């Protein structure tokens, strides 16, 4: 039994001071001395002498302990059957609190480690998700950059200008071609950006770290700003497509008016010296002027049809009056050739009256020609969308800058 305890993990260690081990050694020494004294008494005087170890008056002397019996100090009540077992019990009572503390520390460490691991996994998952969404936004930007360039071109104040000629002149064909190059990508871009917003808004609810929440929020901002850019940009391009066609028609119509006016002046000059040859030449110029005026009237009507918010009624009224006056001039020429003096005088009077009315209408046109009217209308119509587009473009740029810094730091 003693041999087994000697190899037990909690056996008495050497060089212990003030512990239960040291107390157990003292008890064993006392027991050994008591046993030796009793043996000497038996040899010297028999069993009738008093015992050296008595527990008190009227009590039988303590018998010499046998193997396996507990040995305690004088005055203590008997405890467990084995002194070594009692010592181990006392030792265990000292070890248990330490063991509990160690276990608690291990649990805390384990829980803390798991929490840290969970945080790291969450952070890695967040970074993976952020990177995935940023990659989606980048892929959208490949088409969005072309779209952005097209929108910026439409907002250029010099694009729709009477001075925009040659290579700088607006082209409806070029605009349509540029729009076709990006319009097919708009619907897929919109779907991808909307998916990114939904994904990040779902992720935001599970985040606790403020920096992570802000990063997720910036992804939402980056995607939503691009969606808003698409909305405002499409509106600007649609407006520009209508305005560009109207601008070109208005330019063509106004040029026709100018050409008609020049032809009318020539016809009037030829009619000043009345002869058959001059009247015939004047008549030819009058018909040329009339064709220009009818062309202008058609162009102005087409400009209004292309751009419903455009109003060229004043220019159409002026042209209509010039058409009437020119018809009167041609009738007068015909009367001269037919030698109908009364008709000639009547048509000349009618022509002069109509020209006066046309001059009064011309005064109401103001300083702006039809091209400028279209341009002013267009820039007024896109003002709100242009402001929104620029604001969303700035938001997207700021969100992109934040995400570049965040991902660069977190990686």
């Amino acid at each position: 039994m003693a041999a087994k305890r000697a190899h037990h993990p909690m056996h008495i260690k050497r060089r212990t001071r003030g512990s239960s081990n040291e107390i157990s050694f003292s008890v064993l020494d006392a027991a050994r001395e008591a046993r030796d004294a009793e043996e000497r008494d038996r040899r010297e005087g028999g069993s009738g002498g008093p015992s050296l170890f008595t527990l008190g008056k009227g009590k039988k002397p303590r018998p010499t302990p046998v193997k396996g019996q507990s040995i305690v100090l004088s005055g203590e009540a008997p405890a467990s059957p084995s002194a070594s077992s009692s010592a181990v019990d006392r030792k265990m009572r000292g070890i248990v609190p330490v063991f509990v503390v160690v276990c608690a520390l291990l649990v805390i460490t384990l829980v803390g480690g798991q929490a840290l691991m969970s945080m790291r996994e969450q952070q890695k998952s967040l970074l993976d998700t952020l990177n995935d969404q940023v990659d989606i936004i980048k892929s959208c930007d490949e088409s969005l950059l072309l779209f952005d360039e097209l929108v910026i071109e439409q907002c250029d104040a010099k694009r729709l200008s009477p001075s925009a000629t040659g290579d700088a002149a607006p082209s409806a064909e070029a605009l349509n071609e540029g729009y076709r190059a990006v319009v097919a990508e708009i619907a897929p871009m919109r779907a991808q950006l909307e998916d990114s917003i939904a994904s990040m808004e779902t992720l935001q609810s599970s985040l606790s770290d403020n920096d992570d929440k802000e990063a997720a929020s910036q992804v939402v901002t980056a995607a939503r700003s691009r969606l808003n850019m698409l909305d405002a940009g499409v509106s600007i391009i649609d407006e520009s497509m209508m305005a560009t066609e109207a601008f070109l028609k208005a330019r063509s119509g106004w040029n026709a008016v100018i050409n008609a006016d020049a032809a009318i002046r020539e016809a009037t000059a030829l009619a000043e010296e009345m002869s058959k040859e001059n009247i015939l030449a004047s008549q030819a110029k009058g018909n040329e002027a009339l064709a220009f005026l009818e062309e202008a009237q058609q162009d102005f009507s087409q400009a209004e049809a292309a751009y419903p918010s455009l109003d060229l009624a004043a220019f159409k009224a002026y042209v209509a009056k010039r058409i009437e006056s020119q018809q009167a001039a041609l009738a007068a020429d015909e009367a001269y050739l037919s030698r109908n003096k009364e008709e000639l005088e009547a048509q000349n009077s009618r022509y002069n009256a109509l020209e006066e009315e046309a001059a009064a209408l011309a005064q109401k046109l103001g300083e702006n020609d039809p091209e400028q009217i279209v341009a002013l209308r267009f820039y007024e119509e896109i003002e709100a969308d242009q402001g929104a587009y620029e604001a969303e473009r700035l938001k997207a740029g700021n969100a992109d800058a934040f995400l570049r810094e965040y991902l660069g730091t977190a990686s």
Side-chain angles (χ1 to χ4, degrees):
M1 189 77 174
K4 289 182 181 180
R5 282 196 297 271
H7 292 84
H8 193 276
M10 295 186 181
H11 68 278
I12 299 172
K13 298 180 181 180
R14 296 180 181 180
R15 299 175 185 168
T16 56
R17 299 184 60 187
S19 67
S20 60
N21 296 342
E22 187 172 348
I23 294 171
S24 298
F25 277 131
S26 300
V27 171
L28 291 174
D29 290 343
R32 192 164 45 248
E33 290 176 3
R35 183 188 61 194
D36 293 342
E38 188 175 356
E39 183 64 27
R40 284 194 302 271
D41 289 343
R42 281 197 302 268
R43 285 198 301 268
E44 292 174 0
S47 59
S51 173
L52 294 177
F53 285 91
T54 57
L55 297 177
K57 186 176 180 180
K59 302 282 183 145
K60 292 184 178 180
R62 178 191 294 263
T64 301
V66 295
K67 185 176 180 180
Q69 189 175 4
S70 175
I71 302 174
V72 295
L73 292 175
S74 176
E76 290 184 359
S80 61
S82 169
S84 296
S85 175
S86 176
V88 171
D89 288 344
R90 286 193 296 272
K91 180 179 179 182
M92 286 299 295
R93 284 195 296 271
I95 290 174
V96 167
V98 176
F99 178 73
V100 171
V101 172
V102 170
C103 289
L105 290 175
L106 287 174
V107 170
I108 292 171
T109 302
L110 180 60
V111 172
Q114 289 177 338
L116 180 60
M117 184 178 297
S118 176
M119 289 175 61
R120 287 178 177 175
E121 289 177 353
Q122 185 185 51
Q123 179 73 7
K124 184 179 183 302
S125 176
L126 169 64
L127 291 176
D128 289 343
T129 303
L130 286 176
N131 277 305
D132 289 344
Q133 299 309 317
V134 169
D135 287 342
I136 290 174
I137 292 173
K138 285 181 180 178
S139 68
C140 291
D141 281 352
E142 293 177 7
S143 298
L144 190 61
L145 288 174
L146 297 175
F147 179 84
D148 183 62
E149 291 176 4
L150 188 61
V151 172
I152 297 303
E153 286 176 5
Q154 309 318 304
C155 296
D156 186 355
K158 296 180 181 179
R159 182 173 177 274
L160 298 183
S161 168
S163 62
T165 58
D167 294 338
S171 169
E173 291 77 11
L175 175 55
N176 288 332
E177 183 179 349
Y179 193 42
R180 283 195 298 270
V182 298
V183 70
E185 301 296 329
I186 290 177
M189 271 196 290
R190 189 183 299 279
Q192 288 180 311
L193 292 170
E194 287 173 348
D195 287 346
S196 291
I197 291 173
S199 174
M200 296 312 299
E201 285 181 340
T202 300
L203 179 63
Q204 273 183 297
S205 61
S206 64
L207 298 176
S208 57
D209 183 82
N210 289 334
D211 290 341
D212 295 342
K213 283 186 175 181
E214 181 62 21
S217 176
Q218 290 297 330
V219 173
V220 172
T221 298
R224 181 166 286 123
S225 294
R226 284 165 169 81
L227 278 177
N228 293 338
M229 286 174 64
L230 287 174
D231 291 338
V234 167
S235 180
I236 290 171
I237 293 174
D238 285 344
E239 195 79 18
S240 181
M241 291 177 71
M242 294 186 294
T244 299
E245 186 176 352
F247 180 88
L248 294 173
K249 285 295 182 181
R251 168 174 281 186
S252 175
W254 192 240
N255 286 336
V257 170
I258 293 173
N259 291 334
D261 188 70
I264 290 170
R265 290 177 186 275
E266 290 183 40
T268 302
L270 288 169
E272 286 180 359
E273 294 183 9
M274 299 186 70
S275 67
K276 183 176 181 179
E277 292 77 11
N278 284 349
I279 294 301
L280 288 173
S282 175
Q283 196 174 41
K285 282 295 180 180
N287 283 321
E288 182 180 336
L290 185 61
F292 278 129
L293 289 170
E294 289 174 346
E295 178 186 343
Q297 190 79 321
Q298 184 179 9
D299 285 342
F300 291 154
S301 294
Q302 289 177 346
E304 287 184 327
Y307 200 5
S309 63
L310 179 65
D311 182 8
L312 296 179
F315 292 92
K316 290 167 65 178
Y318 168 74
V319 171
K321 191 62 66 177
R322 292 303 298 271
I323 288 174
E324 285 186 71
S325 70
Q326 195 54 36
Q327 288 172 338
L330 289 170
D333 289 342
E334 189 62 33
Y336 173 82
L337 293 174
S338 63
R339 297 184 181 278
N340 189 338
K341 186 178 180 180
E342 290 181 0
E343 181 67 16
L344 174 60
E345 290 178 354
Q347 292 298 333
N348 278 334
S349 296
R350 179 168 174 261
Y351 169 79
N352 291 329
L354 290 170
E355 280 294 293
E356 287 180 5
E357 291 178 22
L361 291 173
Q363 292 294 324
K364 295 180 181 179
L365 296 179
E367 297 180 357
N368 294 325
D369 58 35
E371 297 168 85
Q372 291 171 309
I373 296 295
V374 174
L376 290 171
R377 185 62 179 167
F378 168 69
Y379 292 116
E380 181 181 342
E381 286 291 319
I382 69 166
E383 183 178 3
D385 286 326
Q386 183 180 0
Y389 187 87
E390 291 173 352
E392 296 299 332
R393 194 169 184 263
L394 179 62
K395 285 182 184 178
N398 291 338
D400 292 354
F402 178 92
L403 290 171
R404 281 194 298 271
E405 182 178 355
Y406 175 84
L407 292 174
T409 302
S411 298

